[in-house]
Amino acid sequence: VRGKPAPPIHIAAMALPALASLIHHQDTEVLTDALWALSYLTDGENTRIQAVLDAGVLPRVVQLLSHSSPQVQTPALRCVGNISTGDNAQTQVVLDLSALQPLHAMLA
């Protein structure tokens, strides 16, 4: 199974600056791969979620929920969903970024 066990967060966190840059790329495939990587990093303990939040990527990930391609929307949704399962403060960050609006639009 891919990513099991997950690498220690202090090692995985070294990739966060590169991923933070890649999620601003225009190529759909690059966006998709970067978002899947972020979704894998947020899948697990709250310390993993916090490392991703500290990298400052969530505002862009929320924006990408409205991307025209489902290939981009799907891993963005997975990432936002994983972060929402964190502690109350982590969930509040998702809500403060108005992530519910693009989610509503996806369901419409």
Side-chain angles (χ1 to χ4, degrees):
V1 175
R2 181 186 346 205
K4 301 292 181 187
I9 190 58
H10 70 277
I11 293 173
M14 288 188 252
L16 285 171
L19 293 171
S21 176
L22 290 172
I23 60 173
H24 292 278
H25 203 280
Q26 297 302 309
D27 184 80
T28 300
E29 196 168 324
V30 172
L31 287 172
T32 300
D33 289 345
L35 288 165
W36 276 119
L38 288 171
S39 77
Y40 296 139
L41 287 175
T42 56
D43 187 15
E45 302 170 2
N46 291 352
T47 54
R48 301 177 73 76
I49 292 170
Q50 193 60 49
V52 172
L53 288 175
D54 290 345
V57 299
L58 188 58
R60 176 65 176 155
V61 173
V62 170
Q63 286 178 343
L64 291 171
L65 289 170
S66 299
H67 194 276
S68 61
S69 172
Q71 288 180 304
V72 173
Q73 291 174 348
T74 300
L77 179 60
R78 175 77 182 265
C79 186
V80 170
N82 287 346
I83 292 170
S84 298
T85 67
D87 62 30
N88 289 343
Q90 292 166 336
T91 302
Q92 190 62 51
V93 173
V94 172
L95 296 173
D96 290 346
L97 288 171
S98 301
L100 294 179
Q101 290 175 339
L103 293 175
H104 183 264
M106 291 173 85
L107 295 172

